[in-house]
Amino acid sequence: MRIRLLQALALLATGLLAGAFGYGAANLVPTFNAVPLDMRLSFHAELMKMNGITMQAAMAVSTLGSLTLAVLARGRSRLIAGTAGLLTLASFLITRLGNVPINGRIKEWALTSAPADHAEILRRWELFNNLRTLTALTAFVLLIVLVLRRSPARASSE
């Protein structure tokens, strides 16, 4: 029972993480690119204020939940859960080391003006965003596979 609750928690947190990143990649980024730069910068800066706590919490619960599952599981389940945990950790590291420093620059630009090379910097932010989206989505898929897997003993009793 304890494993099932942990699976549910890890699956929920990772699904929320992948969904939030996926929504951002599919909807927010194209919208950012369609509006005037000053509007994008202002909205981006405000959005990052709101995302800070919720996204960090989702990444932490996803990573801790998956890695705890890996410790408690055996065999292939351990490998799947551990990989999912490492992928959500990768999402955190990509965010922290890639997106967050650029977000800090974007906040400054929103108050002043963007530098001449702003388009390249924003493309780099989008690359980091796509990478963290991919790692979170892959982790979510792995957790779905883990939850849907049936052990031979359980499958024969059903």
Side-chain angles (χ1 to χ4, degrees):
M1 181 63 155
R2 177 178 59 166
I3 294 275
R4 299 294 287 170
L5 290 174
L6 188 55
Q7 284 177 336
L9 178 65
L11 191 60
L12 175 63
T14 306
L16 290 171
L17 182 66
F21 283 151
Y23 178 83
N27 296 300
L28 286 177
V29 170
T31 303
F32 282 162
N33 292 330
V35 299
L37 181 61
D38 62 331
M39 184 182 292
R40 176 203 176 136
L41 297 177
S42 296
F43 183 75
H44 192 120
E46 286 302 313
L47 182 63
M48 294 311 108
K49 288 180 193 174
M50 302 304 292
N51 279 353
I53 293 186
T54 56
M55 295 307 291
Q56 287 183 42
M59 287 185 271
V61 174
S62 297
T63 301
L64 293 174
S66 296
L67 293 177
T68 302
L69 275 174
V71 169
L72 297 175
R74 301 204 185 282
R76 190 169 300 265
S77 293
R78 175 174 282 170
L79 178 63
I80 293 170
T83 302
L86 292 175
L87 285 166
T88 56
L89 179 60
S91 292
F92 170 76
L93 292 173
I94 292 165
T95 300
R96 189 71 192 109
L97 301 174
N99 295 94
V100 169
I102 296 171
N103 289 342
R105 294 174 79 179
I106 289 171
K107 272 197 253 185
E108 291 173 18
W109 303 345
L111 298 174
T112 59
S113 65
D117 65 342
H118 73 275
E120 177 55 35
I121 295 168
L122 294 174
R123 270 194 292 282
R124 204 167 58 237
W125 184 93
E126 289 177 23
L127 172 65
F128 291 133
N129 189 60
N130 289 337
L131 288 172
R132 69 185 180 175
T133 301
L134 182 62
T135 56
L137 181 60
T138 304
F140 183 49
V141 169
L142 286 174
L143 289 174
I144 291 170
V145 168
L146 179 67
V147 169
L148 294 178
R149 285 185 76 216
R150 293 190 292 176
S151 67
R154 209 168 107 204
S156 63
S157 69
E158 290 178 353

